[in-house]
Amino acid sequence: LDKPLKMPDLSYETEDYDSIEKVNVEVLDPDLCPRYIAQYVKDIKIEESPEWIKKRLLSMGLRPINNIVDITNFVLLEIGQPMHSFDYQYLTGNKIVVRRATEDEKITTLDDMEFTLNTSNLVICDSEKPQCIAGVMGGKNSCITDETKEIVFESAMFKRDSIRKTSRALGKRSDSSSRFEKGTDAYLAELGMRRALSLIWQLKAGKIAKTFVDVNHEDMQPKVINTTFAKINRPLGIDVPKGEIIKILGKLNFGVDVDGENVKVTIPLYRDDIEDYPDLSEEVIRMYGYDNIIDTLLKDAEITVGGLTKEQKDLNSLKSYLVSEGFSEAITYSFISEKDYDNFKMDKDSDEYRFIRILNPLGEDISIMRTTLLPSMVKVIIHNLNKKNLSGRIFEVAKTYKPKALPLEEIPVQEDKLMLGMFGDGEDFFTIKGVVEGLLKHLRATFNVDFQKCDRPFMHPTRSAEVMFGRTSIGYIGELNPVISEKLGTDKRIYVGEIDYAKISSLLNRKLKYKAIPKFPSVERDLALVMDKTVPNGQVVRCIKKNSDSTLQSIELFDVYEGERILSTKKSMAYHLVFNNPERSLTMEEVDQNVGKILVALKKEGIELR
């Protein structure tokens, strides 16, 4: 409006004595109370406030009490600075001490409620006892009464987080605490005190000491920002005229010195939210008008057509496939309990057992960052079984958190893992193995996996497998150790699998390539092989592949036999082999020769033709 700002009247007259002669202020915790101002006023006249003060308080929803209390409430609403007044005669030792409360220290507030405090609460005390919960509410034993003749005004700056935590912990909120929680500044503390003293003088309510006691740990030198007009305009995307920038900042009480394109801006003491030129940009545009902003791209930005990345497409494809196989997606917390590692017999020397503890956990059950998804998945399955949901398939893709070193010095390694969980009739080792193989085929993985014996203590010793990519393990699948299942409260079989998705994600979703249907007939052979019961299927398949030529197209296990016709320590496994040459028809001699090489290699490993 181009009108000068009319500040509240801060003028008052004083008497020839000093506040420091009457009250001594000691701030023991300046980190929680950076500035504390105390002012002594004598010859107090307690009476009703004039009508103009009472009307303004009532219009803001506050009930007038008496002139002294009304002045503190008036300053709170007019300027935003909470204040408090103490009856001087109740300040033991004529002293004010700002300190943390001692453990189990008690105070009764103005509303007759007693609170038990602890060391996280800030209190205003005399030389013996608490007189006020700092920033929240005054104590009953020093409140203003009709007999009050001397008072001490308090105007202070308290740290917002301290007041918020105290208010929430005690379940006590007030107009003062709500202001302090939002943040006040050191400049406002003095402004509020001077306004209160001006009202005391105007109402002839008391005689004011010539100076106040000021314990100040804040830097009262105005902040200066050296910038340019171009920098101020840069975040806005438009060119606000220089003259307009100078005019706007000047109206907002900023000091502005211009030297060509450079501008030196002195920040008012009460604007502690201004840090650098982007904040100045915000001040300029809110006055200049947001409607003047023209849509522009940021520097080096470009318009794209959007869409998903390859990684996102792969992940969506993975989830779609699992859903088509009857799975439901679970989302669990990234936090688990250290007890989970003991429940699952995790090796304390393993990578999984090197976990990160949370400094302030909500509870013991969510006190560490998980390095495996297994406990979370098993908890979901146990919960379903307890709710009489006796069958299901569940999966989760989530991150695990492994520290590079302990104690933690840098951000941990975050790896994506795929967790599978299956339970109910019809589920066994082969169903979960089939899901993994089908998933990799669906995602068109550029590698083949092998399944080898799994020695993890939380897995079944004979119904589980390590999933190998070459010589590297990328996970495990199989039945959860029944001893652990029983310990967790179920006698049902639980099948789980955890795949290191981060290791395989870059090898997924290769481009589809056309492959012609063979023109020449295939030749099929069935081999029934006898071996020790301890020989796994994977060992046999690897031996066959290794000792055959390129004409071998597929191997399929179609029968397993144990019985009277073979030794009790042996088993028979029958395989269906398909041979094909895309260039010509194979002769029987070539196939027989190939099969002969395979049988010789198998015999060396103790596996013979039945």
Side-chain angles (χ1 to χ4, degrees):
L1 299 175
D2 291 322
K3 300 289 185 182
L5 174 63
K6 184 179 179 181
M7 287 291 290
D9 186 5
L10 304 179
S11 63
Y12 58 90
E13 294 180 3
T14 63
E15 300 293 318
D16 190 20
Y17 65 93
D18 202 325
S19 291
I20 201 170
E21 299 171 0
K22 292 291 186 177
V23 61
N24 179 31
V25 176
E26 186 177 2
V27 178
L28 300 182
D29 292 285
D31 56 322
L32 302 183
C33 178
R35 190 176 192 185
Y36 190 94
I37 302 174
Q39 173 75 46
Y40 173 80
V41 182
K42 69 178 182 179
D43 295 343
I44 294 296
K45 297 177 183 178
I46 302 296
E47 55 190 11
E48 283 191 19
S49 299
E51 286 299 318
W52 66 272
I53 287 183
K54 290 196 291 185
K55 285 182 178 179
R56 291 194 182 186
L57 291 178
L58 287 169
S59 71
M60 296 295 289
L62 290 184
R63 178 175 58 88
I65 298 173
N66 60 52
N67 53 351
I68 302 302
V69 176
D70 292 350
I71 284 172
T72 59
N73 287 333
F74 190 91
V75 172
L76 168 68
L77 297 175
E78 183 186 42
I79 294 178
Q81 173 61 40
M83 294 189 64
H84 186 66
S85 54
F86 300 97
D87 190 324
Y88 181 72
Q89 65 175 321
Y90 296 113
L91 291 179
T92 305
N94 300 334
K95 189 173 184 180
I96 290 178
V97 181
V98 184
R99 62 169 173 81
R100 285 178 167 88
T102 58
E103 201 67 36
D104 296 328
E105 194 167 21
K106 298 184 183 297
I107 185 174
T108 302
T109 53
L110 291 169
D111 54 359
D112 289 325
M113 294 184 66
E114 185 180 73
F115 293 96
T116 301
L117 309 176
N118 57 49
T119 54
S120 65
N121 307 133
L122 189 69
V123 290
I124 313 299
C125 309
D126 57 22
S127 60
E128 294 180 354
K129 59 188 178 301
Q131 294 284 357
C132 177
I133 304 175
V136 180
M137 185 167 286
K140 186 177 181 180
N141 54 2
S142 64
C143 64
I144 304 301
T145 67
D146 292 341
E147 286 73 37
T148 299
K149 299 300 180 185
E150 301 169 280
I151 65 170
V152 175
F153 269 134
E154 166 195 282
S155 185
M157 173 190 176
F158 300 118
K159 288 297 184 181
R160 65 181 73 182
D161 54 338
S162 171
I163 303 303
R164 182 179 68 253
K165 290 176 182 177
T166 295
S167 177
R168 292 185 64 181
L170 300 180
K172 191 70 180 174
R173 286 187 63 84
S174 63
D175 291 326
S176 294
S177 68
S178 65
R179 298 301 198 286
F180 279 123
E181 286 178 14
K182 295 178 177 68
T184 61
D185 55 75
Y187 173 84
L188 196 62
E190 182 175 341
L191 184 67
M193 177 62 79
R194 293 189 181 279
R195 179 56 172 159
L197 296 178
S198 177
L199 291 171
I200 287 282
W201 179 68
Q202 290 178 42
L203 301 182
K204 297 181 174 56
K207 295 180 180 180
I208 305 166
K210 62 182 178 182
T211 58
F212 43 70
V213 182
D214 186 0
V215 181
N216 188 11
H217 294 87
E218 288 285 285
D219 183 8
M220 301 304 290
Q221 293 298 316
K223 185 188 300 180
V224 175
I225 296 175
N226 292 297
T227 184
T228 65
F229 290 108
K231 281 187 176 181
I232 293 175
N233 277 321
R234 187 182 302 162
L236 306 179
I238 59 174
D239 288 325
V240 180
K242 296 179 185 178
E244 195 67 27
I245 292 176
I246 296 170
K247 182 180 177 182
I248 290 173
L249 294 177
K251 283 181 172 184
L252 297 173
N253 211 20
F254 290 79
V256 182
D257 292 322
V258 179
D259 181 13
E261 288 297 316
N262 298 316
V263 56
K264 177 181 176 182
V265 182
T266 304
I267 311 301
L269 286 172
Y270 55 84
R271 291 302 303 272
D272 58 353
D273 59 314
I274 305 298
E275 297 289 342
D276 208 342
Y277 74 88
D279 299 311
L280 298 177
S281 303
E282 186 176 1
E283 296 299 302
V284 168
I285 196 60
R286 72 183 180 90
M287 302 303 295
Y288 188 65
Y290 292 111
D291 54 325
N292 289 311
I293 294 178
I294 301 172
D295 295 341
T296 54
L297 288 173
L298 295 173
K299 185 180 179 182
D300 299 327
E302 61 182 18
I303 298 176
T304 65
V305 295
L308 301 177
T309 63
K310 174 187 178 300
E311 291 75 17
Q312 291 171 324
K313 291 177 180 178
D314 286 346
L315 186 57
N316 286 344
S317 182
L318 175 148
K319 292 181 178 182
S320 296
Y321 175 79
L322 291 175
V323 169
S324 73
E325 289 292 320
F327 282 81
S328 298
E329 183 175 8
I331 300 175
T332 59
Y333 286 120
S334 298
F335 315 122
I336 58 175
S337 170
E338 185 175 353
K339 291 181 180 179
D340 291 327
Y341 290 89
D342 297 330
N343 289 338
F344 287 89
K345 300 180 181 180
M346 297 282 186
D347 184 357
K348 293 191 176 184
D349 296 325
S350 66
D351 286 343
E352 283 80 6
Y353 213 91
R354 294 180 68 250
F355 46 73
I356 303 164
R357 295 185 184 276
I358 300 171
L359 291 177
N360 54 343
L362 295 176
E364 184 182 351
D365 290 341
I366 46 175
S367 60
I368 61 174
M369 303 293 290
R370 64 184 176 187
T371 57
T372 172
L373 307 185
L374 177 64
S376 303
M377 177 58 70
V378 174
K379 284 181 181 179
V380 172
I381 294 175
I382 295 293
H383 179 77
N384 274 270
L385 290 171
N386 290 339
K387 297 294 183 181
K388 305 302 181 184
N389 182 20
L390 302 180
S391 65
R393 291 184 168 191
I394 304 168
F395 79 93
E396 180 178 15
V397 180
K399 293 186 182 299
T400 56
Y401 305 87
K402 294 185 178 180
K404 296 178 182 178
L406 289 173
L408 198 63
E409 297 179 351
E410 55 183 320
I411 295 175
V413 177
Q414 301 182 34
E415 297 178 330
D416 286 317
K417 297 289 183 70
L418 166 63
M419 191 72 211
L420 303 174
M422 303 164 64
F423 59 101
D425 294 339
E427 303 293 7
D428 56 23
F429 169 79
F430 296 102
T431 58
I432 193 169
K433 177 174 178 283
V435 167
V436 173
E437 291 175 326
L439 176 62
L440 294 176
K441 183 178 180 181
H442 171 78
L443 295 175
R444 302 191 294 279
T446 60
F447 61 92
N448 294 316
V449 295
D450 194 10
F451 298 91
Q452 298 182 11
K453 184 179 179 181
C454 178
D455 295 322
R456 300 180 187 245
F458 49 85
M459 298 300 289
H460 194 291
T462 61
R463 298 174 189 161
S464 62
E466 203 76 22
V467 184
M468 305 296 294
F469 170 34
R471 296 184 178 181
T472 303
S473 171
I474 61 170
Y476 59 88
I477 59 169
E479 183 182 338
L480 188 68
N481 193 316
V483 175
I484 295 177
S485 298
E486 186 176 352
K487 184 178 180 181
L488 295 175
T490 182
D491 57 354
K492 305 293 183 181
R493 291 184 178 183
I494 297 175
Y495 297 90
V496 292
E498 187 171 26
I499 305 298
D500 193 336
Y501 185 72
K503 287 183 179 178
I504 66 172
S505 58
S506 62
L507 303 174
L508 302 179
N509 203 18
R510 63 181 176 182
K511 292 182 179 179
L512 287 171
K513 291 184 179 180
Y514 169 74
K515 185 177 181 181
I517 296 174
K519 296 179 180 179
F520 301 95
S522 298
V523 179
E524 301 176 359
R525 288 284 191 273
D526 290 341
L527 300 179
L529 305 172
V530 178
M531 65 203 78
D532 290 338
K533 286 184 177 181
T534 57
V535 177
N537 171 63
Q539 179 181 339
V540 179
V541 172
R542 284 193 299 273
C543 183
I544 293 174
K545 287 183 177 179
K546 183 177 179 180
N547 293 280
S548 175
D549 59 23
S550 59
T551 60
L552 179 62
Q553 299 298 305
S554 66
I555 308 170
E556 180 183 356
L557 173 67
F558 68 89
D559 183 61
V560 178
Y561 172 76
E562 295 179 22
E564 298 177 355
R565 298 180 183 181
I566 57 177
L567 296 176
S568 60
T569 59
K570 300 287 185 178
K571 65 179 177 181
S572 172
M573 299 177 71
Y575 293 88
H576 182 68
L577 279 58
V578 178
F579 300 89
N580 183 270
N581 188 328
E583 304 296 332
R584 59 180 178 81
S585 295
L586 289 171
T587 64
M588 293 297 107
E589 291 78 10
E590 290 175 318
V591 175
D592 291 341
Q593 185 178 2
N594 203 357
V595 171
K597 287 172 56 181
I598 292 173
L599 293 175
V600 170
L602 288 170
K603 190 171 184 178
K604 292 180 180 179
E605 295 192 18
I607 303 170
E608 297 183 348
L609 191 65
R610 183 178 171 185

